Amino acid sequence: MSAEEKVVLTHGIMPLPLGESTRPIPEDAVYGAGYVPGIPRLGIPALRETDASLGVAYVFGLRKDGATALPSGLAQAATWNPALVRKGGEVIGSEAHAKGFNVLLAGGTNLMRDPRNGRTFEYFSEDPLLSGTLVGNAIAGIQSNHIISTIKHFALNGQETGRKFVDVQISDAAARESDLLAFQLGIEIGQPGSVMCAYNRVNGHQACSSDYLLNQVLKRDWRWKGFVMSDWGAVPNLGAALNGLDQQSGAQLDPAVFFGDTLAQAAAKDPAYAKRLDDMNRRILTAIYANGLDRYPARPGGKIDLKANSEAALETAKQGIVLLRNERGVLPLARTARKIVVIGGYADSGVLSGAGSSQVHAEGGAAIKVPLDGGPWSAFLSEQYHGSAPLAAIKAMAPQAEIRFRNGRYPSEAVTAAKDADVVIVFGTKWTTEGIDQPDLTLPNGQDELIAAVAAANPNTVVVLETGNPVLMPWLDKTAAVLEAWYPGARGGEAIASVLFGETNPSGRLPITFPAAMSHLPRPELDGLATLETNFGGDAPSPDAKLTADYNIEGSDVGYRWNARKGHKALFPFGHGLSYTSFSATGLKTDGKQASFTVTNTGQRAGATVAQLYLDSRGGQTKQRLVGFSRVELAPGESRPVSLKIDPRLLADWSGNGWTLPAGNYVFALGDSAERLGPTVSTKLAGRRWSD
C-alpha cells in the first residue's frame, strides 16, 4: 500500500443525499448506512454497509426494494433457540448480499440494564450466557453468506437518553462478569469481522476512544484479530486511533474526517501513528479476506428466496411468543367460539415494529405509519406496522365465528362490544425506538385503562402485547390470559393467531425480567430523563454538560440476578413461559463442569420447553447465574436425556488479570424460571485461577 492508500479503508461515508453534508455518492455504492471505497489496484473490494439485526433496513425510504422483517431481538431471544437464531442470521445475510451489501451492522449484544431503554427491542436479553450464545449464532449465520457482521454496541450502551455523552461508571470486574462476558461469548462463537464501538462513555472515556475497552480487553486479553468500526458520529478526535479504533464510519456526522488526511499526516511524522495505521489496515483486510468478500462479491440484483425467508420469520415469531398467563385454560381458543371481539392495537391492519436504524420495510412499505409530532427526525422515527393483520389471521382460524373489531379509541364502545362476546382479544401496543427512552413501563394512550375496563366487562379477556420492553400490568388479575408477542415481524399476525388457537403450542420463555414495580430497579429514575430534552442524536446540550449512570449499583447482578440479591419478586421472572402441555425435569447430576438430567412431556400435547440450569448459591451465599439451557421438543409422554457443559467463567470472579474460581460448595438447580427452581444439587469445586 502507498501512503495515500493506507487511509482509504480507515474512513467511510453515509452514501445518502444528506443536504449540505452530502459528498458525491460513488457509482459502486448502494443506498445504505455506510460506504468505504476499495483499492482497485490491489483488488481490495469496497465495503458497502447496511443496518441491521432484524433485516436489511430501509434507510429513510430511499430504497424501494423491501426486505424480510424478522421479529425483534427480544422475540428471537424468547425462542431460546440458537439454531433458529442462526437461521435468521442466514436470512438477513443472504438478503443483504443479494442487494449488494457486504457488511451488516448487526449483532446487538448489550444487556438490558434498564427496561426503559429505547433500543431494548433490538437486543437479546439481560443475561450474558443467553445473549452471547444467541448473538454468536446470529453472526455465524450472517457471515455464512460471505459478508462481514459487526457485534455492537461495545460496550455498556444501556440507555438512549444523552447517549453520546452519558458516562457509565462500572468496575472492571463487574463489566467483565456481565456485559463484556456477553460480547466475549458472542465473539468466540460467531467470530465477527468487526466490532462496532458505542456512543456512550465508559469510566470517563468515549467508548470509541477507550484504551481499556478496545486495546486492553478486546485486542490484548481476547486476542481478537478483526477491526473496530465506530458508530456513526461517535469519533471524538484523531487520538481514538491510538486508543484502538480502526475505522471512522459515517464521517459526515463527526466534527471532522480524522482518519483521512489528518491520520496520514500524523503517520508521516509519528512512528506510533505509523505503526497503528499499518495495524488498522491489517485488521480490516483480515476481516475482508477471512469472510471471502473478494471471492464472493456482493452485487445488487441477486436472487432472494422470499417465500423461504418469510417462513423463517413466521417460525421465529411462533417460537418467540410467550404465554405469560392462562387462567381456567381459556387458551387455546376453540375454533368453534361463537362470538369474538378483537380490540385495539391496529390489529385490523398489521403488527407493530420498533424504529430507528433497524427499521425494515417489506416491498410496498409499511401497512401503517404514525409519525411523531414534529421534530427533525419525525419521518425517520414514525411508528410503523408490518402488514400482517392479526384480525385477518384470527378470522381464518375461526371461519364460522362472528368476529367484530373495535379500534379501542373509545373505551365505552369497546366495553359494550365486550359484554356481548364469548371471548375478547385486546391488543396492547407500546412503540419504542432508537434515540428515545421510555419514561416508564405503562402502556401509552390510555391502553391500561382500556384493558381494565374491557376485562371488567368480560372475564374471558385475552391480552396480546406487542412491546419492545417489559410493561407493568395493573389489570393483570382481571384478565384470563396474556400473550407477549413482542414486535413479531413480517408474519406476526399469523403467528399470534396460530398460538391463540393452539395450532402452535407456545414455547417462548422470557429473556428479560418484567419487574413488579419501578422501585425494584437499580435506578428507579432513568439518568437524565427528567432534565434532558428528547434528542435522537443524544448530543450534550453544552460542552460542559455531564451525565453519569452508576452501574456499580448492581455491578454484574443484572436483571434476575439483581432481584435474587435484593429479594425482589418479579411480575414475570426471567425464563418464565407457559405451555398448553406440561413438562418435568428430573435426575439432575453435576460435577460443576457438566450437568445431565431428563426432560419429560407429562401432558397430552406435543410441545417444546426450555430446560434452564442455574447456579443458585456459592459458598453459602446467593449468587444466581444461568449456566446452561436447552430447548427440547417432545411428543406427549416422551422423555429425553439432556447434557449441558458449564462454562467456568459463569461460576467465577474476575480478579483483575484473570478468572478466579473460589474453592467451596456450589449449588445448582433446574428451573422453569429464575424464580421457580427445583430440587438443588451441590458439588464441591477446587479453587483455581486462569486467564482468558
Side-chain angles (χ1 to χ4, degrees):
M1 284 181 164
S2 68
E4 294 79 12
E5 288 170 339
K6 286 185 179 180
V7 293
V8 171
L9 298 178
T10 54
H11 66 286
I13 63 168
M14 293 184 72
L16 301 170
L18 295 173
E20 294 181 359
S21 64
T22 300
R23 298 181 179 185
I25 298 175
E27 291 184 3
D28 65 332
V30 180
Y31 279 162
Y35 172 83
V36 178
I39 306 176
R41 183 182 74 85
L42 300 176
I44 300 172
L47 301 181
R48 295 186 295 270
E49 303 164 340
T50 181
D51 292 300
S53 302
L54 312 180
V56 180
Y58 81 111
V59 293
F60 301 91
L62 293 169
R63 282 201 330 273
K64 307 298 182 182
D65 51 345
T68 301
L70 289 183
S72 65
L74 284 180
Q76 293 179 49
T79 70
W80 293 58
N81 188 339
L84 188 61
V85 172
R86 178 175 178 131
K87 176 62 179 177
E90 292 172 359
V91 166
I92 301 172
S94 68
E95 294 196 1
H97 193 275
K99 294 174 185 294
F101 296 105
N102 55 16
V103 179
L104 197 65
L105 309 179
T109 310
N110 300 92
L111 300 186
M112 189 191 77
R113 283 186 174 264
D114 195 299
R116 295 162 290 194
N117 182 0
R119 296 190 88 164
T120 295
F121 76 93
E122 292 184 47
Y123 300 142
F124 282 112
S125 83
E126 64 190 26
D127 179 78
L129 175 63
L130 183 58
S131 288
T133 301
L134 295 180
V135 78
N137 277 274
I139 291 166
I142 291 166
Q143 294 193 159
S144 69
N145 294 278
H146 304 293
I147 64 176
I148 293 170
S149 175
T150 67
I151 188 170
K152 65 183 186 183
H153 303 89
F154 193 67
L156 297 150
N157 181 203
Q159 66 180 62
E160 293 296 278
T161 301
R163 62 178 175 168
K164 286 190 180 176
F165 73 104
V166 61
D167 188 3
V168 171
Q169 298 294 304
I170 190 168
S171 72
D172 179 37
R176 301 259 195 170
E177 295 167 13
S178 55
D179 298 69
L180 295 186
L181 182 55
F183 276 94
Q184 186 176 11
L185 292 169
I187 289 170
E188 290 170 356
I189 295 169
Q191 294 296 307
S194 181
V195 167
M196 183 192 292
C197 50
Y199 284 127
N200 54 283
R201 301 183 180 202
V202 178
N203 295 328
H205 300 280
Q206 294 292 152
C208 284
S209 186
S210 170
D211 178 73
Y212 163 68
L213 286 175
L214 307 184
N215 285 334
Q216 297 177 38
V217 174
L218 182 63
K219 295 179 178 179
R220 182 195 69 190
D221 295 346
W222 297 353
R223 297 178 290 278
W224 181 68
K225 302 302 182 185
F227 71 101
V228 179
M229 72 164 66
S230 71
D231 205 338
W232 275 231
V235 184
N237 50 49
L238 175 63
L242 295 182
N243 289 327
L245 181 63
D246 300 305
Q247 189 179 76
Q248 181 180 11
S249 306
Q252 305 106 305
L253 302 183
D254 287 317
V257 182
F258 301 114
F259 284 18
D261 292 342
T262 304
L263 177 59
Q265 292 166 11
K269 298 176 182 178
D270 187 335
Y273 276 102
K275 181 179 180 182
R276 181 78 261 275
L277 182 55
D278 283 348
D279 183 54
M280 293 159 76
N281 279 281
R282 186 179 300 110
R283 289 176 172 277
I284 297 168
L285 292 171
T286 294
I288 288 173
Y289 294 123
N291 289 287
L293 272 61
D294 58 325
R295 292 175 287 119
Y296 302 93
R299 297 187 179 94
K303 185 178 180 181
I304 297 175
D305 191 339
L306 289 173
K307 182 178 180 181
N309 293 353
S310 176
E311 289 299 316
L314 175 62
E315 183 60 25
T316 303
K318 288 178 178 180
Q319 291 192 24
I321 291 173
V322 183
L323 178 59
L324 297 176
R325 175 180 171 88
N326 192 20
E327 298 298 297
R328 308 185 313 278
V330 70
L331 294 181
L333 298 176
R335 295 199 182 201
T336 56
R338 188 171 58 88
K339 291 184 178 181
I340 300 173
V341 170
V342 179
I343 297 172
Y346 293 103
D348 60 330
S349 300
V351 289
L352 186 58
S353 66
S357 59
S358 68
Q359 181 74 64
V360 183
H361 272 176
E363 190 168 346
I368 298 176
K369 286 187 179 181
V370 184
L372 286 179
D373 296 329
W377 292 93
S378 59
F380 179 49
L381 299 179
S382 59
E383 181 178 324
Q384 300 188 29
Y385 290 73
H386 296 305
S388 176
L391 180 62
I394 289 168
K395 288 181 176 180
M397 284 284 179
Q400 306 304 317
E402 176 188 335
I403 299 176
R404 291 172 289 156
F405 176 74
R406 298 291 182 268
N407 62 27
R409 183 175 300 164
Y410 294 100
S412 60
E413 179 186 43
V415 166
T416 299
K419 288 179 180 178
D420 190 41
D422 298 326
V423 176
V424 183
I425 306 171
V426 185
F427 283 78
T429 61
K430 187 169 188 176
W431 176 74
T432 57
T433 177
E434 174 188 353
I436 303 173
D437 290 323
Q438 305 295 298
D440 56 41
L441 301 182
T442 62
L443 291 175
N445 303 320
Q447 291 179 93
D448 283 324
E449 292 77 11
L450 170 68
I451 294 171
V454 169
N458 190 319
N460 290 330
T461 294
V462 177
V463 178
V464 178
L465 295 170
E466 296 172 22
T467 72
N469 309 69
V471 293
L472 300 174
M473 304 179 197
W475 35 261
L476 180 64
D477 290 344
K478 298 179 181 179
T479 62
V482 180
L483 282 180
E484 176 58 80
W486 316 105
Y487 300 151
R491 302 283 296 278
E494 296 156 83
I496 290 167
S498 182
V499 172
L500 285 172
F501 285 89
E503 178 186 75
T504 295
N505 193 344
S507 60
R509 300 293 183 267
L510 289 182
I512 53 175
T513 298
F514 278 47
M518 300 291 287
S519 60
H520 289 183
L521 301 179
R523 286 164 296 283
E525 293 188 11
L526 182 72
D527 295 301
L529 191 66
T531 57
L532 294 173
E533 295 293 332
T534 298
N535 175 3
F536 176 84
D539 299 300
S542 64
D544 59 346
K546 296 186 183 301
L547 177 62
T548 299
D550 185 4
Y551 287 1
N552 284 313
I553 294 172
E554 72 272 31
S556 64
D557 288 331
V558 181
Y560 70 91
R561 299 182 180 187
W562 171 255
N563 277 4
R565 187 169 112 189
K566 303 297 288 187
H568 296 320
K569 295 298 181 184
L571 180 66
F572 291 107
F574 174 86
H576 172 76
L578 304 177
S579 172
Y580 297 152
T581 188
S582 57
F583 300 91
S584 67
T586 57
L588 174 62
K589 297 178 181 178
T590 182
D591 60 359
K593 300 175 184 178
Q594 305 273 349
S596 61
F597 50 91
T598 299
V599 178
T600 302
N601 183 341
T602 58
Q604 303 302 310
R605 295 173 57 111
T609 188
V610 177
Q612 304 165 43
L613 179 65
Y614 292 89
L615 172 70
D616 186 51
S617 66
R618 187 185 73 181
Q621 295 184 334
T622 298
K623 192 175 182 67
Q624 192 170 33
R625 300 285 186 272
L626 178 73
V627 297
F629 65 90
S630 178
R631 187 178 187 276
V632 185
E633 294 196 29
L634 297 168
E638 183 183 4
S639 296
R640 186 173 303 163
V642 176
S643 62
L644 299 172
K645 184 178 180 180
I646 300 172
D647 190 317
R649 290 171 292 191
L650 300 170
L651 311 178
D653 301 320
W654 179 259
S655 64
N657 57 6
W659 295 96
T660 298
L661 187 74
N665 202 42
Y666 289 70
V667 178
F668 298 89
L670 295 168
D672 294 327
S673 72
E675 291 185 8
R676 189 179 175 190
L677 302 182
T680 59
V681 173
S682 63
T683 186
K684 288 186 177 181
L685 296 179
R688 66 186 183 99
R689 296 184 179 184
W690 70 98
S691 60
D692 279 311

